Amino acid sequence: RECKRTQGVSTTDLVGRMLLMTKAHHSNIDEDLDYRKHTDNFGKGPKGHSPWTGVSQFLQTSQKIIQFASGKEPQPGDTIIYVAGAFDLFHIGHVDFLEKVHQLAERPYIIAGLHFDQEVNRYKGKNYPIMNIHERTLSVLACRYVSEVVIGAPYAVTADLLDHFRVTLVCHGMTEVVPDKDGSDPRACRLSPQEPKRRGIFQLVDSGSNLTTDLIVQRIIKNRLEFEARNQKKEAKELAVLEAMKRLEKQ
């Protein structure tokens, strides 16, 4: 099954971010022209440039969010489950986790909180997240198990947040939890320590998958030369298709 690609989202661009270790893609950071030039070269062949391969600029719009969002509101009897994290390079490990969370209730309504880029970079370091907040939003919204996304969710799961969304269960994967800026557990509320645990609504969920964003990045770095060769071969095919289309138009 072939799905229409989202304009402005480029796999070549994402791989370039991993290899160049740049933070230029983070929201509220000016774009680095050298970064744009180098990432473009990852997908550029020796005989020209295909309009389908290479780096493109992603522009978030309300219409894009509407297209990806379920549009469903929680109904009486739904179990409102809150999960939070970076959800960077949304992969099968994330999907497995969300599927397991979805199976915890008969009528689950899963709200995913996404941390801002600067917050993710604080606890992940390097040039994480690889995908910025806008790209991560659409990735998570596209998952069938997610009903709602909180864009720029607070790192600490506070009492206000739980009350606002009427959360009945807070779930977290088996990954390490990094302390908040003040050294406290992010699943706690500053006014009421260990708030989700105190309410008895916190649960660890094992996805059963060992795939992580770090592992994906390590694979890309290891196979950099293979990736460049693959992109050039792909671009050559695309240019051949483009030429054939032009010849058909002339006929």
Side-chain angles (χ1 to χ4, degrees), residues 85-102:
F87 290 97
D88 195 15
L89 295 178
F90 195 72
H91 52 73
I92 190 62
H94 295 133
V95 177
D96 286 343
F97 166 71
L98 290 169
E99 182 181 15
K100 291 290 179 63
V101 171
H102 193 268

Side-chain angles (χ1 to χ4, degrees), residues 220-237:
I220 292 294
I221 293 174
K222 181 180 179 181
N223 296 286
R224 173 174 180 166
L225 294 179
E226 291 181 15
F227 170 77
E228 291 184 15
R230 165 261 189 194
N231 258 26
Q232 291 183 6
K233 184 177 180 181
K234 176 173 176 282
E235 173 130 25
K237 290 181 179 179

Side-chain angles (χ1 to χ4, degrees), residues 72-163:
K72 297 179 180 178
E73 295 184 357
Q75 301 298 316
D78 286 353
T79 301
I80 302 177
I81 307 173
Y82 181 76
V83 299
F87 290 97
D88 195 15
L89 295 178
F90 195 72
H91 52 73
I92 190 62
H94 295 133
V95 177
D96 286 343
F97 166 71
L98 290 169
E99 182 181 15
K100 291 290 179 63
V101 171
H102 193 268
Q103 294 171 351
L104 295 177
E106 184 176 344
R107 292 174 52 185
Y109 186 93
I110 298 177
I111 301 175
L114 299 187
H115 302 143
F116 276 129
D117 298 341
Q118 287 71 26
E119 189 65 57
V120 175
N121 187 252
R122 179 190 67 80
Y123 63 79
K124 289 278 289 183
K126 298 180 183 179
N127 68 325
Y128 289 112
I130 303 301
M131 298 176 76
N132 63 41
I133 185 67
H134 303 303
E135 295 161 338
R136 290 184 285 123
T137 296
L138 295 192
S139 295
V140 177
L141 278 175
C143 181
R144 63 184 298 182
Y145 304 116
V146 175
S147 301
E148 180 67 286
V149 168
V150 180
I151 304 172
Y155 191 62
V157 182
T158 64
D160 287 341
L161 184 149
L162 297 176
D163 293 338

Side-chain angles (χ1 to χ4, degrees), residues 4-190:
K4 183 179 179 181
R5 67 177 295 168
T6 302
Q7 185 176 4
V9 176
S10 165
T11 305
T12 304
D13 192 7
L14 296 179
V15 173
R17 298 173 190 177
M18 300 180 212
L19 297 177
L20 294 174
M21 295 294 291
T22 177
K23 296 182 183 178
H25 57 280
H26 292 173
S27 58
N28 301 323
I29 293 182
D30 292 335
E31 184 178 63
D32 189 331
L33 294 180
D34 288 335
Y35 153 73
R36 182 63 59 176
K37 176 182 176 182
H38 288 304
T39 49
D40 198 40
N41 288 335
F42 286 125
K44 194 169 184 179
K47 295 184 179 180
H49 186 62
S50 162
W52 303 301
T53 299
V55 175
S56 53
Q57 185 178 14
F58 176 75
L59 299 174
Q60 182 73 285
T61 65
S62 58
Q63 186 60 36
K64 278 195 177 77
I65 294 178
I66 291 172
Q67 289 173 341
F68 279 75
S70 68
K72 297 179 180 178
E73 295 184 357
Q75 301 298 316
D78 286 353
T79 301
I80 302 177
I81 307 173
Y82 181 76
V83 299
F87 290 97
D88 195 15
L89 295 178
F90 195 72
H91 52 73
I92 190 62
H94 295 133
V95 177
D96 286 343
F97 166 71
L98 290 169
E99 182 181 15
K100 291 290 179 63
V101 171
H102 193 268
Q103 294 171 351
L104 295 177
E106 184 176 344
R107 292 174 52 185
Y109 186 93
I110 298 177
I111 301 175
L114 299 187
H115 302 143
F116 276 129
D117 298 341
Q118 287 71 26
E119 189 65 57
V120 175
N121 187 252
R122 179 190 67 80
Y123 63 79
K124 289 278 289 183
K126 298 180 183 179
N127 68 325
Y128 289 112
I130 303 301
M131 298 176 76
N132 63 41
I133 185 67
H134 303 303
E135 295 161 338
R136 290 184 285 123
T137 296
L138 295 192
S139 295
V140 177
L141 278 175
C143 181
R144 63 184 298 182
Y145 304 116
V146 175
S147 301
E148 180 67 286
V149 168
V150 180
I151 304 172
Y155 191 62
V157 182
T158 64
D160 287 341
L161 184 149
L162 297 176
D163 293 338
H164 177 81
F165 292 108
R166 302 192 300 278
V167 175
T168 51
L169 185 63
V170 176
C171 293
H172 193 275
M174 305 305 289
T175 54
E176 178 186 4
V177 177
V178 180
D180 205 347
K181 295 177 183 178
D182 59 2
S184 62
D185 187 328
R187 295 164 298 200
C189 172
R190 292 180 181 84

